Amino acid sequence: TMLLGDSGGADLEEWRRAFDGIFGCSPSHGSKLPLQVATPQPREPVLHSGNLAVVQRGGSIEVQYFLFYQDRIEYFADPAGAQLGLCLGRVASGDVRQVRVTDEGFSISLDQ
């Protein structure tokens, strides 16, 4: 499970719309929804980008830069890393089981 939250200024409503663009559903506050995944399209534009706080095991928080695409989420250390293509990780939309929205952000459950 990935826990993502406001990194200080992130608009959660914009992130919710980005989730809707990726997974074909807009999770409501506190909801746990099974996701309907859209068919990936080649060379799609970025749906949303920005910093999110990632809650690590043990509770430590690390801010990372995220790019949301129609078929995946990619994350980087910062925008400069994204420009250089230094991707720290990638989550395919098909690997996501559910997205839960909380007051603090999002919880993404992955198939693993």
Side-chain angles (χ1 to χ4, degrees):
T1 299
M2 293 179 73
L3 298 175
L4 307 174
D6 184 353
S7 65
D11 181 357
L12 292 180
E13 190 56 41
E14 288 182 33
W15 287 107
R16 285 185 186 132
R17 284 192 294 272
F19 275 106
D20 183 48
I22 294 171
F23 303 115
C25 69
S26 184
S28 60
H29 184 276
S31 67
K32 284 182 157 183
L33 301 174
L35 299 172
Q36 305 263 330
V37 179
T39 304
Q41 302 292 321
R43 297 296 224 164
E44 292 185 73
V46 174
L47 298 176
H48 195 65
S49 63
N51 290 322
L52 285 172
V54 180
V55 180
Q56 306 290 329
R57 290 188 177 130
S60 66
I61 296 174
E62 184 177 337
V63 175
Q64 295 178 341
Y65 186 74
F66 283 77
L67 297 176
F68 278 35
Y69 294 93
Q70 180 71 32
D71 63 340
R72 69 194 180 285
I73 298 169
E74 294 180 353
Y75 49 99
F76 304 83
D78 52 37
Q83 289 290 327
L84 294 171
L86 303 174
C87 187
L88 298 175
R90 183 175 289 115
V91 177
S93 59
D95 293 339
V96 176
R97 278 188 297 139
Q98 65 181 335
V99 176
R100 182 168 187 224
V101 180
T102 67
D103 288 335
E104 295 79 33
F106 308 94
S107 174
I108 302 173
S109 297
L110 305 173
D111 287 331
Q112 291 191 10

